[in-house]
Amino acid sequence: MPGYAEILVSAFIVLGGLFGLVGSFGLIKLRDTMQRLHGPTKATTLGIGSVLIASMTFFYLIKGHVSFHELLITLFLFLTAPITANFIAKAYITRHIREQDLPATSSDYGWSVYDDPPGKETEEG
Amino acid sequence: MITLALLFAFVCFGLGLLFCLWRITIGPDNADRILALDTMVINVIALLVLYGVWKGTAIYFEASMLVAMVGFVSSVAYCRFILRGDIIE
């Protein structure tokens, strides 16, 4: 078993653990809900990406077979993390920010939390 | 060496789970609690993948895939309930 493979896998695992810890620590450290959105959605996603890279490297270099499950999990997580963050931000906006306090959007339609989506009237009428 | 790194990462993600629990307990807003639950799901996925590396088997990938899907659906359902007062309209 080559030594550099172990070093590579260990480095990725330690990096992932550090990023996951930083992301979860940001959850209790930051002051505001909108600030707290940053920690878990960015740092923890990066951490789990690093852990999945470590797992792929481990199974390829040490166990000797290629596994594609990690790619599936990575794809799914990286697709869904922004969607969840967007939903949480919208849930916060509905509860705490009134419509007249929001800055104007640059399009014909207002914020999606308060305005109907474009084209809804034409569908119904 | 991998064992030591795995132990370190287990401690990191376990501490992360504790931080999330703390945020769920004191969280001043519902959005904070949903965010902490979502982070808990991500930490659990990382723990499952690391446990698979620890045991040297590929069995745990299906489990982590399932946890990822269910976690996403539950976060979105909770947010939708706050946004619209209903989950499926």
Side-chain angles (χ1 to χ4, degrees):
Chain A
M1 188 192 310
Y4 72 91
E6 280 200 14
I7 293 174
L8 195 65
V9 172
S10 307
F12 272 122
I13 289 175
V14 168
L15 203 65
L18 277 179
F19 270 114
L21 186 62
V22 165
S24 302
F25 183 64
L27 199 62
I28 62 167
K29 173 81 169 54
L30 297 173
R31 291 188 303 274
D32 193 17
T33 305
M34 286 306 217
Q35 287 180 3
R36 280 196 283 269
L37 261 179
H38 288 292
T41 51
K42 291 177 188 68
T44 314
T45 312
L46 207 61
I48 198 168
S50 182
V51 166
L52 289 166
I53 290 174
S55 174
M56 281 191 88
T57 322
F58 175 77
F59 279 106
Y60 181 63
L61 289 180
I62 293 177
K63 289 287 168 183
H65 61 88
V66 186
S67 83
F68 289 106
H69 293 81
E70 289 95 339
L71 280 182
L72 266 180
I73 300 174
T74 315
L75 189 73
F76 188 80
L77 274 180
F78 281 37
L79 278 179
T80 56
I83 301 175
T84 317
N86 186 15
F87 263 98
I88 292 171
K90 275 160 83 175
Y92 180 77
I93 285 176
T94 31
R95 281 301 173 95
H96 294 280
I97 304 176
R98 285 170 300 162
E99 191 174 2
Q100 52 265 31
D101 293 340
L102 289 168
T105 58
S106 55
S107 63
D108 296 337
Y109 301 98
W111 288 68
S112 68
V113 175
Y114 292 110
D115 263 17
D116 284 336
K120 195 171 183 180
E121 293 89 349
T122 53
E123 279 175 17
E124 285 171 353
Chain B
M1 187 171 180
I2 291 183
T3 315
L4 271 179
L6 278 173
L7 280 176
F8 175 77
F10 280 143
V11 170
C12 281
F13 283 108
L15 268 179
L17 279 175
L18 280 181
F19 291 158
C20 294
L21 266 183
W22 176 248
R23 180 48 72 189
I24 290 175
T25 315
I26 65 165
D29 194 54
N30 276 332
D32 287 308
R33 296 198 169 92
I34 304 169
L35 184 62
L37 281 171
D38 197 54
T39 315
M40 278 184 101
V41 168
I42 294 180
N43 282 337
V44 165
I45 295 166
L47 279 178
L48 273 174
V49 172
L50 288 174
Y51 192 68
V53 173
W54 173 279
K55 290 288 174 190
T57 65
I59 300 174
Y60 295 98
F61 290 125
E62 275 78 17
S64 45
M65 196 73 207
L66 275 176
V67 170
M69 287 182 176
V70 173
F72 170 66
V73 170
S74 57
S75 299
V76 168
Y78 202 164
C79 285
R80 250 194 105 67
F81 183 70
I82 289 179
L83 272 173
R84 308 283 294 179
D86 200 0
I87 296 172
I88 301 173
E89 295 174 52

